[in-house]
Amino acid sequence: MFVIIAGGGKVGSQLARDLMAERHEVVVMESNPHKARALQDEIGDAVVPHDASEGRWLIDAGIGRAELLIAVTGDDEDNIVICQLGEALSEGRARTITRINNPKNSDTFRTLGIEAIVNATDLVMTMIERDVSVAPVVHLMRLRSAGLELVEMTVAEGSAADGSTPQDLRLPEQGGRISVILRNGEAVLPSPTTRLQAGDSIVLVAQTEFEEALGRKFAAPTIV
Amino acid sequence: MYAIVIGCGRAGAEIASRMCELGHSVVVIDRDRAAFHRLSDTFSGTTIVGHAIDEDCLISAGIERADAVIATTYGDNSNLIAVQLARKRFNVERAIARVKDSVRASTFANLGFETIPSTTIVGDAFEQALAWEPHQPNGPAENGS
Protein backbone atom coordinates (compact mmCIF):
# COMPACT_ATOMS: atom_id res chain seq x y z
CA MET A 1 0.00 0.00 0.00
CA PHE A 2 1.18 3.54 -0.72
CA VAL A 3 0.70 5.73 2.31
CA ILE A 4 1.33 9.46 2.76
CA ILE A 5 1.86 10.61 6.33
CA ALA A 6 1.44 14.34 6.97
CA GLY A 7 3.49 15.32 10.00
CA GLY A 8 6.85 13.81 10.97
CA GLY A 9 6.60 14.25 14.73
CA LYS A 10 6.66 11.37 17.19
CA VAL A 11 3.45 9.79 15.95
CA GLY A 12 4.15 10.30 12.25
CA SER A 13 7.70 9.04 12.33
CA GLN A 14 6.81 5.98 14.38
CA LEU A 15 3.97 5.19 11.99
CA ALA A 16 6.40 5.53 9.09
CA ARG A 17 8.88 3.12 10.66
CA ASP A 18 6.17 0.57 11.38
CA LEU A 19 4.59 0.79 7.95
CA MET A 20 7.97 0.54 6.24
CA ALA A 21 8.86 -2.47 8.36
CA GLU A 22 5.71 -4.05 6.95
CA ARG A 23 7.00 -3.20 3.46
CA HIS A 24 4.47 -0.51 2.67
CA GLU A 25 5.54 2.39 0.48
CA VAL A 26 5.61 5.48 2.67
CA VAL A 27 6.14 9.21 2.20
CA VAL A 28 6.34 11.47 5.24
CA MET A 29 5.69 15.19 4.79
CA GLU A 30 7.21 17.49 7.42
CA SER A 31 7.42 21.26 7.04
CA ASN A 32 9.86 21.89 9.88
CA PRO A 33 13.30 21.69 8.20
CA HIS A 34 15.11 20.45 11.31
CA LYS A 35 12.66 17.66 11.93
CA ALA A 36 12.60 16.80 8.23
CA ARG A 37 16.40 16.56 8.06
CA ALA A 38 16.59 14.37 11.15
CA LEU A 39 14.01 12.06 9.64
CA GLN A 40 15.78 12.10 6.28
CA ASP A 41 18.95 10.86 7.99
CA GLU A 42 16.97 7.90 9.21
CA ILE A 43 14.60 6.97 6.40
CA GLY A 44 16.09 8.84 3.43
CA ASP A 45 14.15 9.79 0.34
CA ALA A 46 10.80 8.97 1.86
CA VAL A 47 10.73 12.43 3.45
CA VAL A 48 9.22 15.42 1.67
CA PRO A 49 10.38 18.50 3.61
CA HIS A 50 7.26 20.55 2.96
CA ASP A 51 3.84 21.45 4.31
CA ALA A 52 1.28 18.80 3.31
CA SER A 53 -1.54 21.33 3.13
CA GLU A 54 0.31 23.17 0.34
CA GLY A 55 -1.44 21.68 -2.66
CA ARG A 56 1.51 21.41 -5.02
CA TRP A 57 3.60 19.47 -2.48
CA LEU A 58 0.80 17.06 -1.75
CA ILE A 59 0.51 16.44 -5.50
CA ASP A 60 4.30 16.09 -5.72
CA ALA A 61 4.28 13.57 -2.90
CA GLY A 62 1.97 11.40 -5.01
CA ILE A 63 -1.52 12.00 -3.61
CA GLY A 64 -2.86 11.01 -7.03
CA ARG A 65 -1.92 7.39 -6.43
CA ALA A 66 -2.05 7.25 -2.60
CA GLU A 67 -4.36 4.71 -1.02
CA LEU A 68 -4.11 6.16 2.45
CA LEU A 69 -3.40 9.64 3.81
CA ILE A 70 -2.75 9.95 7.53
CA ALA A 71 -2.69 13.48 8.94
CA VAL A 72 -0.90 13.63 12.28
CA THR A 73 0.52 17.13 12.50
CA GLY A 74 0.21 18.93 15.82
CA ASP A 75 -2.43 21.29 14.47
CA ASP A 76 -6.07 20.27 14.22
CA GLU A 77 -7.02 22.73 11.49
CA ASP A 78 -4.06 21.62 9.38
CA ASN A 79 -4.99 17.96 9.81
CA ILE A 80 -8.58 18.50 8.72
CA VAL A 81 -7.71 20.61 5.69
CA ILE A 82 -4.98 18.15 4.67
CA CYS A 83 -7.56 15.34 4.70
CA GLN A 84 -10.11 17.36 2.75
CA LEU A 85 -7.48 18.46 0.24
CA GLY A 86 -6.20 14.90 -0.09
CA GLU A 87 -9.67 13.55 -0.71
CA ALA A 88 -10.33 16.17 -3.37
CA LEU A 89 -6.94 15.90 -5.10
CA SER A 90 -7.12 12.10 -5.18
CA GLU A 91 -10.71 12.33 -6.43
CA GLY A 92 -11.87 10.35 -3.44
CA ARG A 93 -9.49 7.44 -3.96
CA ALA A 94 -7.30 8.04 -0.92
CA ARG A 95 -8.75 7.04 2.42
CA THR A 96 -7.96 9.67 5.02
CA ILE A 97 -7.37 9.37 8.71
CA THR A 98 -6.63 12.06 11.20
CA ARG A 99 -6.59 12.75 14.87
CA ILE A 100 -7.73 15.57 17.07
CA ASN A 101 -5.17 17.02 19.42
CA ASN A 102 -7.54 19.29 21.30
CA PRO A 103 -10.71 17.47 22.46
CA LYS A 104 -12.53 20.80 22.41
CA ASN A 105 -12.46 20.61 18.61
CA SER A 106 -14.09 17.23 18.22
CA ASP A 107 -17.71 18.46 18.08
CA THR A 108 -16.70 21.21 15.71
CA PHE A 109 -15.23 18.80 13.23
CA ARG A 110 -18.09 16.37 13.53
CA THR A 111 -20.47 19.14 12.48
CA LEU A 112 -18.30 19.59 9.39
CA GLY A 113 -19.13 16.00 8.47
CA ILE A 114 -15.66 14.77 9.24
CA GLU A 115 -16.01 11.45 10.97
CA ALA A 116 -12.65 9.84 10.31
CA ILE A 117 -11.32 11.02 13.60
CA VAL A 118 -9.66 9.38 16.49
CA ASN A 119 -9.39 11.59 19.45
CA ALA A 120 -5.76 10.90 20.31
CA THR A 121 -6.03 12.57 23.67
CA ASP A 122 -8.99 10.40 24.70
CA LEU A 123 -7.31 7.30 23.39
CA VAL A 124 -4.07 8.02 25.22
CA MET A 125 -6.01 8.73 28.41
CA THR A 126 -7.82 5.44 28.10
CA MET A 127 -4.64 3.54 27.42
CA ILE A 128 -3.11 5.08 30.54
CA GLU A 129 -6.20 4.25 32.61
CA ARG A 130 -6.02 0.67 31.45
CA ASP A 131 -2.34 0.52 32.27
CA VAL A 132 -1.21 0.03 28.72
CA SER A 133 2.27 1.43 28.70
CA VAL A 134 2.78 1.58 24.94
CA ALA A 135 2.03 4.66 22.87
CA PRO A 136 -1.33 4.08 21.12
CA VAL A 137 -0.04 4.15 17.58
CA VAL A 138 2.68 1.65 18.21
CA HIS A 139 0.04 -0.44 19.82
CA LEU A 140 -2.19 -0.16 16.77
CA MET A 141 0.48 -1.44 14.46
CA ARG A 142 1.16 -4.45 16.65
CA LEU A 143 -2.51 -5.23 16.62
CA ARG A 144 -2.60 -4.98 12.86
CA SER A 145 0.19 -7.47 12.34
CA ALA A 146 -1.72 -9.89 14.57
CA GLY A 147 -4.67 -9.76 12.16
CA LEU A 148 -6.57 -7.31 14.31
CA GLU A 149 -7.76 -3.81 13.54
CA LEU A 150 -8.62 -1.02 15.88
CA VAL A 151 -11.65 0.70 14.45
CA GLU A 152 -13.82 3.55 15.52
CA MET A 153 -17.53 3.44 14.77
CA THR A 154 -20.40 5.72 15.61
CA VAL A 155 -23.61 4.10 16.74
CA ALA A 156 -26.20 5.18 14.20
CA GLU A 157 -29.75 5.81 15.27
CA GLY A 158 -31.86 2.73 14.70
CA SER A 159 -28.88 0.47 14.11
CA ALA A 160 -28.68 -2.94 15.75
CA ALA A 161 -26.29 -1.49 18.29
CA ASP A 162 -28.56 1.40 19.28
CA GLY A 163 -30.00 0.47 22.69
CA SER A 164 -28.19 -2.88 22.83
CA THR A 165 -25.44 -4.16 25.11
CA PRO A 166 -22.21 -5.84 23.88
CA GLN A 167 -23.73 -9.05 25.22
CA ASP A 168 -26.92 -8.62 23.14
CA LEU A 169 -24.78 -8.06 20.07
CA ARG A 170 -22.71 -11.21 20.78
CA LEU A 171 -19.61 -9.21 19.89
CA PRO A 172 -16.89 -11.45 21.34
CA GLU A 173 -18.23 -14.49 19.47
CA GLN A 174 -18.20 -12.44 16.29
CA GLY A 175 -14.61 -11.29 16.49
CA GLY A 176 -15.06 -7.89 18.15
CA ARG A 177 -14.40 -6.37 21.53
CA ILE A 178 -15.30 -2.84 22.57
CA SER A 179 -12.33 -1.25 24.29
CA VAL A 180 -13.86 2.12 25.03
CA ILE A 181 -17.05 4.12 24.49
CA LEU A 182 -16.63 7.86 23.88
CA ARG A 183 -19.84 9.51 25.05
CA ASN A 184 -20.32 13.28 25.37
CA GLY A 185 -16.58 13.78 25.41
CA GLU A 186 -16.04 11.24 28.18
CA ALA A 187 -14.38 7.85 27.89
CA VAL A 188 -16.51 5.05 29.35
CA LEU A 189 -15.07 1.59 29.93
CA PRO A 190 -17.84 -0.83 28.96
CA SER A 191 -19.01 -3.94 30.75
CA PRO A 192 -20.91 -6.69 28.86
CA THR A 193 -24.16 -5.07 30.01
CA THR A 194 -23.40 -1.41 29.21
CA ARG A 195 -26.17 -0.14 26.96
CA LEU A 196 -25.00 1.60 23.79
CA GLN A 197 -26.84 4.61 22.47
CA ALA A 198 -27.02 6.46 19.18
CA GLY A 199 -24.21 8.97 18.89
CA ASP A 200 -21.75 6.94 20.95
CA SER A 201 -18.31 6.53 19.43
CA ILE A 202 -17.06 3.02 19.90
CA VAL A 203 -13.42 2.06 19.72
CA LEU A 204 -13.46 -1.60 18.85
CA VAL A 205 -10.77 -4.21 18.45
CA ALA A 206 -11.89 -6.39 15.58
CA GLN A 207 -10.51 -9.41 13.81
CA THR A 208 -9.78 -8.14 10.32
CA GLU A 209 -12.00 -10.65 8.55
CA PHE A 210 -15.04 -9.79 10.68
CA GLU A 211 -14.63 -6.06 10.53
CA GLU A 212 -17.13 -5.51 7.73
CA ALA A 213 -19.83 -7.63 9.33
CA LEU A 214 -19.30 -5.86 12.64
CA GLY A 215 -19.56 -2.52 10.91
CA ARG A 216 -23.08 -3.33 9.77
CA LYS A 217 -24.18 -3.49 13.39
CA PHE A 218 -23.19 0.16 13.92
CA ALA A 219 -22.56 2.24 10.82
CA ALA A 220 -19.84 2.64 8.26
CA PRO A 221 -16.66 1.95 10.20
CA THR A 222 -13.65 4.20 10.16
CA ILE A 223 -10.35 2.46 10.30
CA VAL A 224 -7.93 3.96 12.74
CA MET B 1 -25.42 44.06 6.85
CA TYR B 2 -23.86 42.37 9.86
CA ALA B 3 -20.39 41.00 9.18
CA ILE B 4 -17.75 39.18 11.18
CA VAL B 5 -14.16 39.69 10.08
CA ILE B 6 -11.78 37.03 11.39
CA GLY B 7 -8.13 38.09 11.55
CA CYS B 8 -7.06 41.70 11.94
CA GLY B 9 -3.96 41.72 9.75
CA ARG B 10 -3.56 44.27 6.96
CA ALA B 11 -6.30 42.71 4.83
CA GLY B 12 -8.74 42.13 7.69
CA ALA B 13 -8.29 45.65 9.08
CA GLU B 14 -8.75 47.17 5.64
CA ILE B 15 -11.93 45.21 4.90
CA ALA B 16 -13.38 45.93 8.36
CA SER B 17 -12.69 49.65 8.04
CA ARG B 18 -14.12 49.80 4.51
CA MET B 19 -17.30 48.03 5.57
CA CYS B 20 -17.79 50.50 8.42
CA GLU B 21 -17.39 53.36 5.98
CA LEU B 22 -20.19 51.80 3.94
CA GLY B 23 -22.37 51.80 7.03
CA HIS B 24 -22.35 48.09 7.86
CA SER B 25 -22.08 46.61 11.36
CA VAL B 26 -18.76 44.86 11.84
CA VAL B 27 -17.19 42.67 14.53
CA VAL B 28 -13.49 41.89 14.21
CA ILE B 29 -11.94 38.84 15.87
CA ASP B 30 -8.21 38.37 16.39
CA ARG B 31 -6.31 36.29 18.90
CA ASP B 32 -3.88 39.16 19.47
CA ARG B 33 -5.30 42.33 20.99
CA ALA B 34 -2.40 44.37 19.57
CA ALA B 35 -3.62 43.59 16.03
CA PHE B 36 -6.57 45.95 16.45
CA HIS B 37 -4.25 48.99 16.18
CA ARG B 38 -4.36 48.40 12.41
CA LEU B 39 -8.02 49.44 12.29
CA SER B 40 -8.47 52.94 10.89
CA ASP B 41 -10.10 55.85 12.66
CA THR B 42 -13.22 55.31 10.58
CA PHE B 43 -13.73 51.85 12.13
CA SER B 44 -16.86 52.00 14.24
CA GLY B 45 -17.44 48.31 14.96
CA THR B 46 -16.48 46.13 17.90
CA THR B 47 -13.46 43.90 18.53
CA ILE B 48 -13.19 40.50 20.23
CA VAL B 49 -10.03 38.69 21.26
CA GLY B 50 -10.44 35.04 20.36
CA HIS B 51 -9.65 32.19 18.00
CA ALA B 52 -11.00 31.74 14.48
CA ILE B 53 -12.52 28.30 14.98
CA ASP B 54 -13.63 28.57 18.60
CA GLU B 55 -17.42 28.18 18.43
CA ASP B 56 -17.98 30.00 21.72
CA CYS B 57 -16.04 32.94 20.40
CA LEU B 58 -17.98 32.94 17.12
CA ILE B 59 -21.27 32.79 18.98
CA SER B 60 -20.32 35.70 21.23
CA ALA B 61 -19.43 37.61 18.06
CA GLY B 62 -23.03 37.04 16.94
CA ILE B 63 -22.41 34.53 14.15
CA GLU B 64 -25.95 33.18 14.51
CA ARG B 65 -27.34 36.41 13.09
CA ALA B 66 -24.41 37.35 10.81
CA ASP B 67 -24.96 37.95 7.11
CA ALA B 68 -21.32 37.43 6.25
CA VAL B 69 -18.13 35.91 7.63
CA ILE B 70 -14.84 37.05 6.16
CA ALA B 71 -11.82 34.95 7.14
CA THR B 72 -8.51 36.72 6.60
CA THR B 73 -6.09 35.24 9.15
CA TYR B 74 -2.54 34.41 8.05
CA GLY B 75 -3.41 30.72 8.09
CA ASP B 76 -5.16 29.35 5.00
CA ASN B 77 -6.32 26.34 6.98
CA SER B 78 -7.86 28.37 9.79
CA ASN B 79 -9.69 30.45 7.20
CA LEU B 80 -11.00 27.36 5.43
CA ILE B 81 -12.22 25.79 8.66
CA ALA B 82 -13.85 29.08 9.70
CA VAL B 83 -15.87 29.37 6.48
CA GLN B 84 -16.92 25.73 6.65
CA LEU B 85 -18.16 26.29 10.21
CA ALA B 86 -19.96 29.46 9.20
CA ARG B 87 -21.72 27.76 6.29
CA LYS B 88 -22.46 24.34 7.74
CA ARG B 89 -22.84 24.93 11.44
CA PHE B 90 -24.29 28.44 11.52
CA ASN B 91 -25.93 28.74 8.08
CA VAL B 92 -24.29 32.08 7.36
CA GLU B 93 -25.24 33.11 3.84
CA ARG B 94 -21.87 34.46 2.73
CA ALA B 95 -18.61 33.09 4.08
CA ILE B 96 -15.42 33.95 2.27
CA ALA B 97 -11.88 32.75 2.99
CA ARG B 98 -8.65 34.37 1.92
CA VAL B 99 -6.48 31.48 0.68
CA LYS B 100 -2.88 32.13 -0.37
CA ASP B 101 -2.16 28.66 -1.75
CA SER B 102 -3.64 28.61 -5.27
CA VAL B 103 -4.23 24.85 -5.29
CA ARG B 104 -6.03 24.92 -1.97
CA ALA B 105 -8.07 27.93 -3.10
CA SER B 106 -9.31 26.27 -6.28
CA THR B 107 -9.88 22.91 -4.57
CA PHE B 108 -12.13 24.42 -1.93
CA ALA B 109 -13.85 26.64 -4.48
CA ASN B 110 -14.74 23.44 -6.34
CA LEU B 111 -16.12 22.04 -3.09
CA GLY B 112 -18.52 24.98 -3.00
CA PHE B 113 -16.78 27.38 -0.65
CA GLU B 114 -16.07 31.00 -1.52
CA THR B 115 -12.36 31.73 -1.61
CA ILE B 116 -10.23 34.74 -2.47
CA PRO B 117 -7.10 33.24 -4.04
CA SER B 118 -4.76 36.08 -3.03
CA THR B 119 -1.59 34.74 -4.67
CA THR B 120 -3.36 34.14 -7.96
CA ILE B 121 -4.90 37.61 -7.81
CA VAL B 122 -1.53 39.26 -7.16
CA GLY B 123 0.06 37.17 -9.93
CA ASP B 124 -2.67 38.20 -12.36
CA ALA B 125 -2.26 41.85 -11.36
CA PHE B 126 1.50 41.74 -12.04
CA GLU B 127 0.97 39.99 -15.33
CA GLN B 128 -1.54 42.61 -16.34
CA ALA B 129 0.72 45.46 -15.19
CA LEU B 130 3.63 44.11 -17.20
CA ALA B 131 1.39 43.44 -20.17
CA TRP B 132 3.95 41.13 -21.73
CA GLU B 133 3.14 39.37 -24.95
CA PRO B 134 3.57 35.59 -24.89
CA HIS B 135 7.22 34.67 -25.55
CA GLN B 136 8.02 33.85 -29.19
CA PRO B 137 10.88 31.29 -29.29
CA ASN B 138 11.96 32.45 -32.75
CA GLY B 139 11.29 36.11 -32.19
CA PRO B 140 13.96 38.66 -33.14
CA ALA B 141 14.18 40.53 -29.82
CA GLU B 142 15.60 37.74 -27.62
CA ASN B 143 19.36 37.33 -27.08
CA GLY B 144 20.94 34.04 -26.05
CA SER B 145 17.81 32.43 -24.66
Side-chain angles (χ1 to χ4, degrees), chain A residues 51 53-56 59 75-82 84-85 88-89 104-105 107-109 111-114, chain B residues 51-56 76-81 84-86 88-89 100-105 107-108 111 113:
Chain A
D51 175 5
S53 61
E54 194 80 19
R56 55 175 291 211
I59 293 168
D75 186 297
D76 287 344
E77 286 124 284
D78 291 351
N79 287 340
I80 296 301
V81 172
I82 288 165
Q84 293 180 317
L85 192 65
L89 293 176
K104 205 185 165 196
N105 287 336
D107 284 346
T108 303
F109 293 148
T111 60
L112 299 183
I114 297 153
Chain B
H51 193 263
I53 66 155
D54 179 352
E55 288 191 34
D56 296 336
D76 283 0
N77 296 342
S78 298
N79 294 342
L80 287 166
I81 298 287
Q84 291 184 66
L85 266 182
K88 291 191 172 176
R89 168 95 171 78
K100 291 181 228 172
D101 173 20
S102 312
V103 177
R104 238 176 300 175
T107 302
F108 279 83
L111 292 173
F113 296 100

Side-chain angles (χ1 to χ4, degrees), chain A residues 1-174:
Chain A
M1 192 190 274
F2 175 43
V3 185
I4 297 178
I5 299 171
K10 280 195 184 112
V11 177
S13 54
Q14 188 57 45
L15 264 172
R17 285 182 204 107
D18 288 339
L19 286 167
M20 288 168 104
E22 288 181 29
R23 303 187 176 274
H24 293 291
E25 185 187 356
V26 177
V27 165
V28 182
M29 303 186 70
E30 170 57 53
S31 58
N32 178 312
H34 302 290
K35 277 191 196 168
R37 209 166 303 134
L39 206 54
Q40 260 162 349
D41 289 342
E42 188 188 334
I43 61 173
D45 291 344
V47 182
V48 173
H50 296 291
D51 175 5
S53 61
E54 194 80 19
R56 55 175 291 211
W57 296 119
L58 197 55
I59 293 168
D60 242 37
I63 189 64
R65 61 181 186 88
E67 287 157 84
L68 184 61
L69 169 66
I70 306 174
V72 284
T73 77
D75 186 297
D76 287 344
E77 286 124 284
D78 291 351
N79 287 340
I80 296 301
V81 172
I82 288 165
C83 286
Q84 293 180 317
L85 192 65
E87 270 169 35
L89 293 176
S90 71
E91 289 168 1
R93 282 190 298 273
R95 269 197 310 177
T96 59
I97 295 169
T98 186
R99 66 162 181 187
I100 294 182
N101 299 288
N102 179 358
K104 205 185 165 196
N105 287 336
S106 103
D107 284 346
T108 303
F109 293 148
R110 208 147 270 161
T111 60
L112 299 183
I114 297 153
E115 286 291 341
I117 280 166
V118 172
N119 192 320
T121 314
D122 278 359
L123 207 56
V124 172
M125 295 292 285
T126 310
M127 293 289 181
I128 292 167
E129 277 168 26
R130 304 189 89 179
D131 208 19
V132 178
S133 57
V134 201
V137 171
V138 181
H139 196 64
L140 295 190
M141 303 318 296
R142 285 192 188 154
L143 285 170
R144 189 160 294 171
S145 55
L148 297 170
E149 300 262 11
L150 195 56
V151 297
E152 186 189 31
M153 303 183 189
T154 303
V155 178
E157 210 173 327
S159 63
D162 187 8
S164 304
T165 65
Q167 209 164 38
D168 297 339
L169 293 167
R170 303 167 49 79
L171 289 181
E173 295 92 310
Q174 302 195 22

Side-chain angles (χ1 to χ4, degrees), chain B residues 55-141:
Chain B
E55 288 191 34
D56 296 336
C57 169
L58 293 171
I59 289 168
S60 72
I63 193 166
E64 286 155 313
R65 59 191 172 87
D67 303 299
V69 166
I70 292 153
T72 67
T73 75
Y74 292 118
D76 283 0
N77 296 342
S78 298
N79 294 342
L80 287 166
I81 298 287
V83 299
Q84 291 184 66
L85 266 182
R87 295 284 298 133
K88 291 191 172 176
R89 168 95 171 78
F90 297 105
N91 299 313
V92 178
E93 202 177 318
R94 300 291 306 276
I96 312 176
R98 188 259 300 270
V99 181
K100 291 181 228 172
D101 173 20
S102 312
V103 177
R104 238 176 300 175
S106 61
T107 302
F108 279 83
N110 287 335
L111 292 173
F113 296 100
E114 287 188 76
T115 58
I116 301 283
S118 55
T119 306
T120 310
I121 289 170
V122 173
D124 290 349
F126 271 108
E127 195 182 320
Q128 219 163 24
L130 290 164
W132 276 345
E133 296 295 321
H135 175 60
Q136 302 292 334
N138 301 320

